[in-house]
Amino acid sequence: MTKEFIGKRIKRNEDPRLLTGQALFVDDVDIPGMLHAAFVRSDYAHAKIVSIDTSTARQMPGVVAVYTAEDMGDEWQPGPPLVSPPPTVEDVVFHSRRQAPLVKDKVRHAGETVAVVVAESRYLAEDAAEEIWVEYDPLPAVVDIEKGLEPNSPLVHDDLESNLAAHLSQEKGDYEAAKAQADVVISKKIHIDRGAAAAMENRGIVAHWDEKGQLLTIWDTTQAPIPIRNGTAARLGLSENQVRVIAPFVGGGFGPKIMMFYPEEMLIPWISMKLCRPIKWIEDRRENFYATTQERGQVHEVEMALTKDGKILGLKDDFLHDTGAFDPYGLTIPLNTQSHVMGPYEIANFSSEFKVVFTNKTIVTPVRGAGRPQGVYIIERLMDAAARELDIDPIEIRKKNLIAPDAFPYSHSIIDQAFAELILDSGDYLPTFEKAIEMIGYRQFIEQEQPRLRAEGKYVGIGITPFIETTGVGPYEGARVQIEPSGKVNLATGIGTQGQGHFTSFAQIVAEQLGVDVTDVRIITGDTAEFHWGTGTFASRGAVVAGNAVYAAASGVRKKVLKMASKVLDAPEEELEIQDGMVRVADIPRMSISLGELAAQANPLRGAVEPGTEPGLEATDYFGPQYGATAFGTHAMIIEVDPETMLVEIKRYVTAEDCGRMLNPLIVEGQVHGGVSMGIGNAYYEQLHFDENGQLLNASLADYLIPSSMEMPPRIEVGHAETKSPLSELGTKGVGEAGTIPVPACFAQALENALQDFDLEIAETPLSPNRLYELLYKKEQ
Amino acid sequence: MRIEGEYTFSGTREDVWEIVRDPEILSTALPGTQKFEQVGENEYEGRMNVRIGPVSGTFGGKLTVSNEIPPESYTLTVEGTGKVGFLKGTGDVELLDQGDGTTLMKYDGEVQIGGRVASVGQRLFDTVSKSMIKQGLEKLDEALQARSSDAD
């Protein structure tokens, strides 16, 4: 039998290159004759542009070109719509408004691009950009989403009647009837605010139009190089194979680097073609805070109807969602929120209506979690409130409502972000939930440790939060696997890589099929010249969708290997085994041939081949799931709150994850660790503060706090369960966002538990030491 | 952002009024002022260099005085723009005769800031603006005392 690699804790193939600075990032690209771009961005959140004076800047030394919207003439056009609203939901309202490469009439958020300078160096470009004088006529800004829908609100888009960007309702069963039968109805208004993705690497793009070769090469920090290639070709009137988009190593994606068609992504390639010179632009951190997409702003009014023994009869969740100045990414986020409000619980009656609101703030598109953390926060806040109201243990009320293992595939009977019925493909939730409870020692903590520490005057608390994560959505991904005469294996797939360990997990899949070592598989991701079909890395879909495409392509090559070796070795295929780079007859080891030799023979230089024979040991295949695979997990934490400073120390952090079959538990755990860190930021540190004029007040890493080792728990313990997805050969489910999704909910639960003397009820996130102090202080008054 | 405070001048209300309405004295009082000139009856234009934490730059702007009730109160409107952002504010200034030869100035206004000044400097804006106002008012008080000793 071939050696097994899938499911093994294998160290990452890519790490030596990453850790020694040998990996290519966009800013490493340096081409002779390359020019540099700097942008003039609006200081105002909402203002008419009266005039732009570029005369001084154009005369400055080293300046090659300056462009405003006017200079683009007929070539000025807004970005493409990326995701349309679900066509199957009745009475859906959706007003598509997309960002422009350069602002023409009025600016709609601070940081919008007004002009671009191209110069011999970035320094000269920045200096010249400072000499461009833009006269604005400031307008009142739309900042608060509730006020934004009031009839007298200023309008972000003057051609619309209001700031309503979208409106969608979904119903399941009959909530009002369920409410009428309920023993108790819990209602809450919950506020969720924005944060940044704050990837370590900011965005960047280098575009190189080769006039003689008639080829445009773009290095882009994108999660989705193929849609960027196709969209760029369409915008610039080139054929798709004249555009090559390379997403090299990317220092963190987290959603905002998805196929956005940011203004810079539209402009830099266009300028390169205008000037026939390579152009580079690398975003700085302040630009990243203003101009890279953000997420999470929502206001929910929610009601839960229950029996007195804690069984949920129905749930009603109406909410507003902040989309910022434009809505290129459609309704993905609010649909995800809706999909996760019912979460892992069986809820027969559900009613949810959301309104998406335009505001004069940075555009909102998915950030790790993508609407899911909000959904989980809502349901879990209500579970805690219900447990308290009914005097039921918070664990027991959750157990009572978890979907039973024999109910899968379980339909939540609403439409999800992929416009398909939200079906949870598989799961066995209770054991994973109990695993987390056992790992953190819930009973022992509640019954012994907490009373003891309380007696010592310590405010310690515990939170335990189950959650689902819809992952691995379609439409499809592809892969091409080829064995070289050297015996090494090449794999190319269309998705980009931003640290997920693709160079290892995909290599494990290939290595297991082809009997080679994991380090013998050379992988190329995110280069459209190598593979040009697919969408991208998002929605925790890499291991599911691309992973199964890799499996299919590797299986195809395996079939070719066995068929050819059977002829060469004159033995039936069933008697052959592939191991250590050799194909051999199982019980006669000397009857063997190396994979490299077979590959050479499969590509003859002379002679004739049988008709229909394909050269080489190569196969391309695709995978598109019927619908997404849904993962489950439970996070638990024990915290201690300092009642003077409101600083929170996370004493223990435990997660139990069921992401289906694991390709590499080491990588799964790495994903969870990173996700938890982001979730802790979301819960207690990271909040973007906009003032009433739409000015972002903390656009630097000095003021916007990202958790450091000081705020992290000493360890994150990860437990595993594997309920394989029936939707694919590998049985994988995604885990890329799982670490982040339940953290704010779990944190709020632990805080309430630690501060039960204060009778604290938390109905907002992110919190902060300041905000917690205010909540407690107000309570005391 | 709200800016409010008070300051006691060692002089009569009439003397303080003269000082605060004298463009030449004002131009020397505000720290970082490069230019300050009267362009209309109650309108002034100027340039001022400002440093707020990591952000520094020159603001060019306009100051307008309105609602004048000599020597009791007036309203100031400021609009400034520069490479590092913009500033826009309105504030009411009141002078109260303390009856002991001193005058209490009360000021209360709203300021909007934008651009780099807001996004990076916001945390320090409050402190810096307070200290600039204090410095400015102290300078005015010095001028007031110099003038009264000249008169003596």
Side-chain angles (χ1 to χ4, degrees), chain A residues 43-44 130-131 133 286 290 691-693 695-700 702-703, chain B residues 1 81-83 85-86 88 110 112-116 118-120 122-123:
Chain A
D43 282 343
Y44 292 86
E130 286 205 333
E131 294 301 330
W133 289 97
R286 202 168 63 88
Y290 272 136
D691 73 6
E692 68 278 14
N693 305 308
Q695 292 291 334
L696 178 58
L697 300 179
N698 56 340
S700 81
D703 295 321
Chain B
M1 206 169 303
T81 53
K83 290 172 189 173
F86 68 87
K88 195 176 158 185
E110 271 292 317
Q112 271 185 40
I113 52 172
R116 216 178 304 166
S119 61
V120 185
Q122 184 271 339
R123 192 164 46 119

Side-chain angles (χ1 to χ4, degrees), chain A residues 421 479 528:
Chain A
E421 186 182 343
T528 61

Side-chain angles (χ1 to χ4, degrees), chain A residues 368-686:
Chain A
R368 199 181 204 170
R372 300 177 184 88
Q374 294 95 314
V376 173
Y377 192 80
I378 297 305
I379 184 73
E380 294 302 316
R381 289 285 66 220
L382 284 160
M383 292 303 269
D384 290 329
R388 191 181 321 177
E389 172 84 21
L390 295 166
D391 197 20
I392 301 177
D393 182 288
I395 301 293
E396 294 310 315
I397 194 168
R398 288 174 165 88
K399 279 188 186 171
K400 195 179 281 279
N401 289 287
L402 283 179
I403 296 165
D406 57 6
F408 293 96
Y410 178 88
S411 173
H412 265 319
S413 306
I414 58 168
I415 299 299
D416 69 7
Q417 60 138 327
F419 311 159
E421 186 182 343
L422 174 60
I423 300 171
L424 313 181
D425 62 311
S426 59
D428 189 1
Y429 295 166
L430 190 60
T432 304
F433 185 52
E434 284 180 331
K435 183 170 206 149
I437 295 168
E438 189 192 316
M439 282 168 70
I440 199 125
Y442 179 75
R443 288 284 154 223
Q444 200 254 344
F445 178 81
I446 289 288
E447 286 161 15
Q448 299 166 31
E449 217 169 320
Q450 192 173 35
R452 178 175 62 77
L453 292 165
R454 281 253 166 86
E456 292 174 16
K458 288 184 173 163
Y459 292 92
V460 288
I462 191 165
I464 296 190
T465 305
F467 69 101
I468 58 164
E469 183 200 353
T470 58
T471 79
V473 295
Y476 77 96
E477 289 298 337
R480 188 183 65 245
V481 173
Q482 179 219 345
I483 301 175
E484 284 190 6
S486 64
K488 304 249 184 209
V489 182
N490 287 321
L491 162 67
T493 175
I495 66 167
T497 198
Q498 307 94 43
Q500 293 88 348
H502 295 147
F503 293 74
T504 312
S505 51
F506 292 164
Q508 288 174 255
I509 298 170
V510 173
E512 185 167 306
Q513 285 297 306
L514 299 182
V516 296
D517 203 71
V518 173
T519 52
D520 286 333
V521 185
R522 180 173 171 267
I523 294 186
I524 293 167
T525 65
D527 180 346
T528 61
E530 293 283 341
F531 203 88
H532 63 264
W533 296 106
T535 39
T537 308
F538 53 86
S540 299
R541 65 195 290 279
V544 184
V545 189
N548 277 289
V550 169
Y551 177 81
S555 305
V557 175
R558 183 184 172 86
K559 282 195 194 97
K560 285 189 178 177
V561 166
L562 291 174
K563 190 176 169 193
M564 192 173 165
S566 158
K567 277 188 190 161
V568 174
L569 299 175
D570 196 19
E573 284 183 35
E574 309 81 64
E575 289 178 16
L576 299 178
E577 61 176 27
I578 317 179
Q579 205 161 9
D580 302 326
M582 306 288 287
V583 190
R584 52 193 176 215
V585 181
D587 36 6
I588 318 170
R590 69 189 157 73
M591 282 182 68
S592 65
I593 182 166
S594 74
L595 289 172
E597 178 59 26
L598 264 187
Q601 289 187 23
N603 185 25
L605 292 173
R606 292 288 185 277
V609 295
E610 285 172 38
T613 306
E614 287 176 12
L617 294 177
E618 179 177 291
T620 301
D621 213 332
Y622 299 89
F623 176 76
Q626 203 186 335
Y627 53 90
T630 299
F632 175 80
T634 300
H635 285 209
M637 66 172 103
I638 292 174
I639 61 166
E640 182 177 341
V641 186
D642 181 327
E644 299 288 323
T645 63
M646 299 295 148
L647 290 176
V648 173
E649 187 186 345
I650 301 175
K651 308 289 255 187
R652 280 194 69 200
Y653 205 105
V654 161
T655 85
E657 301 289 341
D658 182 352
C659 57
R661 187 177 182 198
M662 286 187 287
L663 299 178
N664 183 335
L666 200 62
I667 288 176
V668 167
E669 288 167 19
Q671 283 279 23
V672 171
H673 288 181
V676 167
S677 140
M678 207 155 176
I680 290 171
N682 285 168
Y684 208 52
Y685 301 98
E686 299 184 47

Side-chain angles (χ1 to χ4, degrees), chain A residues 284-326:
Chain A
D284 69 27
R285 184 57 69 179
R286 202 168 63 88
E287 289 181 298
N288 185 270
F289 272 107
Y290 272 136
T292 291
T293 57
Q294 307 163 348
E295 206 217 295
R296 307 244 201 276
Q298 293 182 348
V299 177
H300 289 248
E301 295 199 43
V302 58
E303 261 182 30
M304 186 191 264
L306 303 102
T307 64
K308 60 179 177 300
D309 59 354
K311 179 77 192 147
I312 304 169
L313 297 176
L315 186 71
K316 179 176 164 68
D317 179 29
D318 295 337
F319 64 98
L320 305 179
H321 171 74
D322 176 5
T323 188
F326 302 96

